[in-house]
Amino acid sequence: MSMVYAQRMNRVPRSFIREILKVTENPEVISFAGGLPNPRYFPVQEIAQAASEVLSRPDDCGLQYGPTEGYLPLRQYIAQRYRDRMGLAVAADEILITNGSQQGLDLVGKVFIDRAEVVAVEQPAYLGALQAFSVYEPQFYTVPLLDDGVDMDHLEHLLGTRRVRLFHTVINFQNPSGITYSPPTRRRLAEALGRTETVLVEDDPYGPLRFAGEPAPSMRTWLEGQAVLLGSFSKIVAPGLRLGWVCAPRPIMDKLVIAKQASDLHSNFLCQRILYQYLMNHDLDEHIATITAAYQRQRDAMVQAIESHFPPEVTFTRPQGGMFLWATLPASLSALDLFERAAAQKVAFVPGTPFFLDNGGLHHLRLNFSNAPEDRIEEGIRRLGAIMKQMLVQKA
Ligand SMILES: Cc1ncc(COP(=O)(O)O)c(C=O)c1O
């Protein structure tokens, strides 16, 4: 019997990165491929302690069903951080706890995207957003990223000629490029979107992981009724908890809550309780400071190794936070070819192609710097650089 599947499944790409991660299961491989936080900084003992405290309250231990919106004290905690750290007037009822911010993307898609509607994404784009939105069968338009954020001339032209349902941005230390929107680009983006009904999805799992430069305002500063913010505990506590949130104005929140209910009733309530207990027992900012100091050292190690070992024709971003750096090869070199040769020498990265919807990205590589220790970073980049030099000689 041949199984018949819903049409929409033909349009949803398999995650290329999950496929690559299979290669990197071999511990000998130096992997710059994953988007994995450094497990050294998972607060294992602290979470164990928090779990034991929560489970020692038999009448209130989080094993019962909970509210769809999430555990109220946790939502209050998140809203308070928006107020204190970003000066945003966010109330707890504008926060919905989700299974990571990835579920936030799915819920946003469910609530906003009808078939064939226009969804604008950055180019290169976050793969998980492409995958989540694809299920709702939109028409994707891509807008190139420049050094200081999205190409506003391009986006303004698109907004002027198409009815764009939503625009997805990773505004800080973008995955895959490491690019951050400058304050002028943010203001111009707000002005352009403010003239439309386009919903802005500000997907910001990396914003707290800033190790250099000044933080810039969230788009909600200007677009309160139109901006949907996605946040996550994955990169600042641990991704295995699968806890993130959506921050949205109340009318949008009403719809998101219905969508969430239909999906899974609510996120794991026990985990929410344990996470909240952990946050009450410890200063999250201190923990984030430890992680960012480490990522800065790892980023520095990668930048220095690239400067020493890559051919000078290769350009690359120098992110001020987050977990990724983006390198561009000379036009004569293919990133896929490099990937094959690097895999043979036990180094992995993600070639640029899956992040592009137009068959582009042939000369780009995404390099994750948060997962490998500094000496392995140096060695992996040295091997990559040697292969690139060999390829250049062969092309000459
Ligand atoms: C830009 C972006 N958004 C969302 C996610 C999903 O993260 P999570 O579901 O773990 O919160 C990721 C994960 O790498 C990401 O890079």
Side-chain angles (χ1 to χ4, degrees), residues 247-317:
C247 168
R250 289 179 189 94
I252 299 180
M253 187 52 75
D254 288 347
K255 304 286 184 212
L256 289 168
V257 169
I258 297 168
K260 167 87 180 157
Q261 224 156 41
S263 289
D264 60 1
L265 303 183
H266 63 76
S267 291
N268 184 320
F269 200 49
L270 177 62
C271 266
Q272 295 183 57
R273 303 292 301 267
I274 294 171
L275 173 63
Y276 180 70
Q277 189 61 50
Y278 162 75
L279 295 169
M280 289 301 95
N281 294 351
H282 299 277
D283 181 347
L284 180 59
D285 288 323
E286 262 176 35
H287 183 60
I288 292 174
T290 307
I291 300 173
T292 47
Y295 289 5
Q296 177 163 31
R297 289 193 297 274
Q298 290 170 280
R299 193 269 331 237
D300 288 349
M302 187 170 272
V303 166
Q304 278 160 22
I306 290 177
E307 282 168 347
S308 311
H309 301 299
F310 279 11
E313 299 90 325
V314 178
T315 58
F316 60 100
T317 56

Side-chain angles (χ1 to χ4, degrees), residues 189-211:
L189 176 61
E191 278 162 21
L193 292 177
R195 294 190 288 270
T196 70
E197 291 179 348
T198 304
V199 173
L200 176 90
V201 182
E202 178 178 311
D203 185 0
D204 190 25
Y206 305 107
L209 299 183
R210 175 180 281 283
F211 42 69

Side-chain angles (χ1 to χ4, degrees), residues 58-110:
D59 297 333
D60 181 29
C61 63
L63 289 175
Q64 187 52 279
Y65 281 117
T68 299
E69 292 83 350
Y71 183 48
L72 182 58
L74 183 59
R75 297 163 66 212
Q76 286 166 336
Y77 176 93
I78 295 165
Q80 185 76 43
R81 279 182 74 83
Y82 275 124
R83 292 197 294 271
D84 294 348
R85 299 177 52 85
M86 298 166 89
L88 296 176
V90 171
D93 63 357
E94 293 176 294
I95 304 290
L96 168 68
I97 305 292
T98 55
N99 302 328
S101 46
Q102 189 64 30
Q103 188 186 33
L105 291 167
D106 178 53
L107 298 179
V108 164
K110 204 177 256 183

